[in-house]
Amino acid sequence: DTGVSQDPRHKITKRGQNVTFRCDPISEHNRLYWYRQTLGQGPEFLTYFQNEAQLEKSRLLSDRFSAERPKGSFSTLEIQRTEQGDSAMYLCASSSTYRRGGRTDTQYFGPGTRLTVL
Amino acid sequence: GQQLNQSPQSMFIQEGEDVSMNCTSSSIFNTWLWYKQDPGEGPVLLIALYKAGELTSNGRLTAQFGITRKDSFLNISASIPSDVGIYFCAGLGSSNTGKLIFGQGTTLQVKP
């Protein structure tokens, strides 16, 4: 059973460019979460999906951010017109609402994508 | 909004010593999770707590879910150099939300 994977691990971009990150959850996990973590802070919730449906979004998720999970498997997080304040670690996590997949309330994190906006 | 206060912010200890850290909240949580994060990596789950009063161990780690459901602590016994890292507590209000609330983290340094 592989863990949560994220791609790329690092991304350097110039201000104003668009970036897209991918997350593959643990197989059998139907919930997928996105968090953002800045230096010296704990992760902050952005949004989560149950299967294809986006069920909750944080106010941190401005209109420049969009997340998708079209087939209920992997998810993408796109940031349009990046700003220097978007520089952070973007973390993905997954959990399962199915008994065989574990507990809904236990989230497992991937290694993260470190974004640097110049 | 919900917030978690995690303390201490940092600890510098001698190898072999025991460590204790805790989290408190003004809100009730139904689940408490403890994670460890190494630089440049994602948080790794250490212990999960699901019931008030629950005491759970994972090797040298022991964590408890407070009776009031507003606090939790993590103990590490006989620390070793590989325990170095940042430890985070996280709380979940209910299974109907996906929003984990994280503490600010405790940075642990272990002197061999």
Side-chain angles (χ1 to χ4, degrees):
Chain A
D1 183 25
T2 57
V4 178
S5 60
Q6 293 187 245
D7 183 69
R9 292 293 312 276
H10 304 275
K11 179 70 176 179
I12 299 175
T13 191
K14 292 182 179 178
R15 186 163 48 99
Q17 297 293 307
N18 299 344
V19 294
T20 300
F21 311 139
R22 175 178 170 129
C23 171
D24 287 87
I26 293 171
S27 59
E28 295 184 335
H29 280 194
N30 58 335
R31 280 196 176 180
L32 187 150
Y33 312 81
W34 286 100
Y35 290 81
R36 181 172 71 185
Q37 185 178 26
T38 53
L39 207 59
Q41 302 296 319
E44 294 176 293
F45 173 82
L46 293 177
T47 188
Y48 93 93
F49 294 84
Q50 181 162 314
N51 301 312
E52 306 86 0
Q54 189 171 16
L55 295 187
E56 191 173 357
K57 290 197 287 187
S58 161
R59 284 173 297 175
L60 291 175
L61 209 67
S62 76
D63 55 7
R64 295 185 299 105
F65 288 68
S66 63
E68 294 183 346
R69 195 183 184 200
K71 297 181 180 178
S73 56
F74 71 90
S75 174
T76 57
L77 178 67
E78 181 183 17
I79 308 175
Q80 295 183 326
R81 305 181 303 280
T82 52
E83 302 172 356
Q84 287 185 323
D86 296 332
S87 296
M89 173 80 91
Y90 289 84
L91 293 162
C92 177
S94 70
S95 72
S96 175
T97 61
Y98 305 128
R99 189 169 294 180
R100 68 175 184 274
R103 290 185 61 117
T104 303
D105 49 6
T106 306
Q107 297 182 21
Y108 297 88
F109 283 82
T113 295
R114 167 71 66 190
L115 173 66
T116 302
V117 182
L118 302 175
Chain B
Q2 292 176 310
Q3 287 186 320
L4 288 182
N5 296 312
Q6 185 171 348
S7 65
Q9 189 172 358
S10 63
M11 302 181 75
F12 189 86
I13 63 170
Q14 196 79 28
E15 182 177 359
E17 289 184 353
D18 297 344
V19 171
S20 185
M21 59 193 78
N22 69 83
C23 274
T24 60
S25 169
S26 57
S27 304
I28 288 173
F29 289 102
N30 290 329
T31 300
W32 284 93
L33 305 172
W34 285 92
Y35 293 89
K36 178 175 181 275
Q37 187 173 29
D38 292 327
E41 299 294 329
V44 175
L45 182 68
L46 299 173
I47 291 183
L49 301 159
Y50 304 112
K51 285 173 57 177
E54 180 181 359
L55 184 71
T56 297
S57 293
N58 178 11
R60 295 179 296 105
L61 278 59
T62 301
Q64 184 157 29
F65 192 142
I67 289 291
T68 65
R69 295 200 284 157
K70 292 183 179 181
D71 62 330
S72 177
F73 72 75
L74 175 72
N75 285 345
I76 305 173
S77 63
S79 58
I80 59 178
S82 63
D83 291 334
V84 164
I86 304 177
Y87 292 79
F88 287 100
C89 61
L92 192 66
S94 77
S95 60
N96 292 326
T97 175
K99 185 179 180 180
L100 272 180
I101 307 295
F102 279 82
Q104 305 97 318
T106 296
T107 300
L108 178 63
Q109 294 178 293
V110 179
K111 185 178 179 182

